[in-house]
């Protein structure tokens, strides 16, 4: 039996980059398959019906990533 692939963007937190054809790299709170929403970073089509590959994070994982990024010197 196939997994439930439903999703709902609970909250758009911001656009990281604008891409070609209207696709944007966005940080959102997304509920996958009716489960509690997680932080999600991926490319979305303009109508949010199609998506690219991305990464999802729990609040704890996103806090750890934020802490790690704050220590980096970005060129």
């Amino acid at each position: 039996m196939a997994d439930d692939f439903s999703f709902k963007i609970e909250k758009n937190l911001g656009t990281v980059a604008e891409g070609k054809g209207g696709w944007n790299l966005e940080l959102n709170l997304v509920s996958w398959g009716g489960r509690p929403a997680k932080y999600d970073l991926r490319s979305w089509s303009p109508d949010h019906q199609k998506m690219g590959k991305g990464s999802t994070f729990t609040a704890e994982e996103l806090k750890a990533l934020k802490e790690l990024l704050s220590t980096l010197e970005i060129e």
Side-chain angles (χ1 to χ4, degrees):
M1 187 176 282
D3 289 335
D4 180 7
F5 188 68
S6 65
F7 66 90
K8 180 179 180 191
I9 298 175
E10 300 280 339
K11 185 174 185 181
N12 177 275
L13 300 170
T15 299
V16 176
E18 296 181 7
K20 296 179 181 177
W23 284 64
N24 292 326
L25 180 62
E26 298 177 0
L27 180 63
N28 296 306
L29 272 172
V30 180
S31 170
W32 297 98
R35 292 185 295 276
K38 291 187 177 182
Y39 295 92
D40 184 87
L41 182 65
R42 73 181 63 241
S43 296
W44 290 90
S45 65
D47 62 3
H48 290 100
Q49 295 302 306
K50 295 180 183 176
M51 68 204 76
K53 291 182 180 180
S55 296
T56 57
F57 304 92
T58 63
E60 293 77 22
E61 292 168 336
L62 192 63
K63 287 176 189 176
L65 179 60
K66 180 181 177 183
E67 193 171 309
L68 174 64
L69 289 173
S70 72
T71 68
L72 298 179
E73 291 190 33
I74 300 172
E75 299 176 20

